Amino acid sequence: MTPLISRRSKALSGSAAVPGDKSMSHRALMIGAVAIGESRVRGLLESEDVLRTAAALTALGVSVTKGADGAWRVLGRGVGGLAEPATVLDLGNSGTGARLLMGLLASHPFTSQFTGDASLNSRPMGRVIKPLEQIGAVFNAREGGRLPLALTGTAEPVPITYELPVASAQVKSAILLAGLNTPGRTTVIEPKPTRDHTERMLRHFGAEVKITDLDQGARSIVLTGQPEITARPVTVPGDISSAAFPLVAALIVPGSDVTLTGIGVNPLRTGLLETLGEMGASLTVANRREEAGEEVADLHVQAGPLRGVTVPAVRAPAMIDEYPVLAVAAAYARGETRMEGLSELRVKESDRLRAIAAGLAAAGVGIEEGEDYLVVNGTGGPVAGGARIETGLDHRIAMAFLVLGMAAAAPIVIDDAAPIETSFPDFAGLMNGLGACIEEEKQP
Ligand code: S3P
């Protein structure tokens, strides 16, 4: 374990480009793998999670390589063209990698074994197993629908109509990817809209995806199965979920002025920007453009006072990964920030509600943890800090608390830097380049 210490930082300044979007990187590789021909992917996130997906696809017979120009090349085998793997597919820490790949393989008639690290092996898979069984796949999972598991895909997949019981882009995407090699139309109904990168990327590769708005924000997504999808170039924008860390750091470290360039601002991902705006953040979204069917922009942020707000449950899907760092912003805001509808945080890379509450309490911040809500009481001044945080194999808990330490009276230590590799390799380097003071803790 490599502990990191984050000390009070001087004003952050400058411009930075964060690594590529994790959600889009997984999808570019998986959809490229079943398109015909060679897709070039620029800006791919080269993190532990995405490299696990690349390795799994290699085991399924797909050539995935990095070219001298830095772009990745995926030589697709066509819809239904994946081959039985000779090894166990180890998705490491990645829920997205595991769940989306189970979807893709549900309609391939062979058996695969899935495993992951201690975090992934404790996460619920029943939410994808249930609809994929309806399509015809057979699962043999550990108690409670956990990994490791064996999946035998079906030779005769049945197109289903499935209403999501939880707002989950991973479940939606697993069903749509299974629908690719299924005759007829596969339909997903989502009560609350979740990130639509799969729908956008399927269209980008030439599949027919029909989206209809239903009552009260619900949507239906209909994929026409067995399309001839062909290789396409993809440019992956910067990950807004990674940008969130330098963004909040710049808000809470006095005197900061930072620009983050080329960030994906898909409207189903920008709940944090809306919330920080309501908190009074000086934050502008400039230079909006479109790349590979996704909106991209530069974010400019300046430090300044923040005030507590109520974040409604309906916004949760649009910022589901940003609550750890929002809680850090709330710790520096004046007044109470109430975040509602957070039950999904309990089944992320760790129980994030628990981890946020425990970490903030240890750092001297007033906090109330409910079953599915959090209340953070900020004073508007620096937090005490001086805490040692257990990251529990959770990258976002690790990075959020390093950000907390950047404006705290006493430093914050996280027990292990390794989980950060999941989504944001060189996090410390990028933050230190802007002026942060994050380094390995010298062991006494
Ligand atoms: C993701 C969806 C979200 C998110 C995860 C990435 C995706 O998970 O938390 O980091 O790429 O589809 P859920 O679908 O479980 O909400």
Side-chain angles (χ1 to χ4, degrees), residues 152-201:
T152 304
T154 174
E156 290 174 0
V158 180
I160 60 168
T161 294
Y162 194 79
E163 185 168 338
L164 298 182
V166 279
S168 167
Q170 292 179 356
V171 179
K172 169 177 66 177
S173 301
I175 298 166
L176 293 174
L177 292 177
L180 267 182
N181 195 33
T182 300
R185 294 196 173 88
T186 293
T187 303
V188 180
I189 295 171
E190 51 178 7
K192 288 185 195 164
T194 64
R195 64 188 70 192
D196 59 357
H197 304 304
T198 302
E199 296 91 307
R200 287 173 188 255
M201 204 164 297

Side-chain angles (χ1 to χ4, degrees), residues 21-24 26-27 49 95-97 99-100 123 127 166-173 194-195 197-198 241 269 317 319-321 344-345 347-349 352 395-396:
D21 188 275
K22 182 156 70 67
S23 293
M24 288 185 227
H26 286 294
R27 287 158 171 82
D49 270 21
T96 308
R99 294 192 177 118
L100 269 57
R123 296 179 68 184
R127 53 182 61 196
V166 279
S168 167
Q170 292 179 356
V171 179
K172 169 177 66 177
S173 301
T194 64
R195 64 188 70 192
H197 304 304
T198 302
S241 297
R269 293 283 299 279
M319 54 175 298
I320 194 67
D321 292 334
E344 276 296 298
L345 290 195
V347 290
K348 293 295 177 189
E349 286 81 332
R352 285 190 177 151
H395 53 133
R396 299 201 202 282

Side-chain angles (χ1 to χ4, degrees), residues 314-444:
V314 60
R315 200 178 295 159
M319 54 175 298
I320 194 67
D321 292 334
E322 279 63 81
Y323 286 98
V325 80
L326 174 65
V328 169
Y332 286 93
R334 178 176 296 281
E336 182 179 288
T337 296
R338 195 180 170 85
M339 307 167 212
E340 295 169 345
L342 304 189
S343 54
E344 276 296 298
L345 290 195
R346 297 223 178 259
V347 290
K348 293 295 177 189
E349 286 81 332
S350 69
D351 176 345
R352 285 190 177 151
L353 264 189
R354 188 84 280 279
I356 296 168
L360 287 183
V365 179
I367 175 103
E368 182 192 335
E369 175 193 351
E371 197 42 49
D372 69 345
Y373 69 88
L374 267 181
V375 180
V376 177
N377 280 296
T379 61
V383 310
R388 202 174 177 89
I389 306 295
E390 277 180 34
T391 50
L393 292 178
D394 192 328
H395 53 133
R396 299 201 202 282
I397 293 297
M399 292 186 279
F401 280 96
L402 290 171
V403 170
L404 185 86
M406 291 171 62
I412 294 282
V413 175
I414 60 151
D415 64 352
D416 193 12
I420 296 173
E421 295 296 316
T422 291
S423 66
F424 201 157
D426 201 32
F427 169 77
L430 184 140
M431 297 298 276
N432 289 346
L434 294 172
C437 187
I438 299 172
E439 58 183 11
E440 277 186 29
E441 185 193 30
K442 309 253 182 330
Q443 300 288 358

Side-chain angles (χ1 to χ4, degrees), residues 261-263 265 284-290 295-299:
T261 55
I263 309 299
V265 287
T284 49
V285 180
N287 197 13
R288 280 187 187 266
R289 52 213 187 260
E290 200 183 298
E295 269 181 65
V296 179
D298 302 333
L299 307 179

Side-chain angles (χ1 to χ4, degrees), residues 125-126 129 133 138-151:
M125 295 297 151
I129 292 175
E133 280 179 342
V138 175
F139 287 83
N140 203 338
R142 221 156 49 84
E143 181 63 28
R146 320 259 158 187
L147 265 52
L149 62 72
L151 150 60

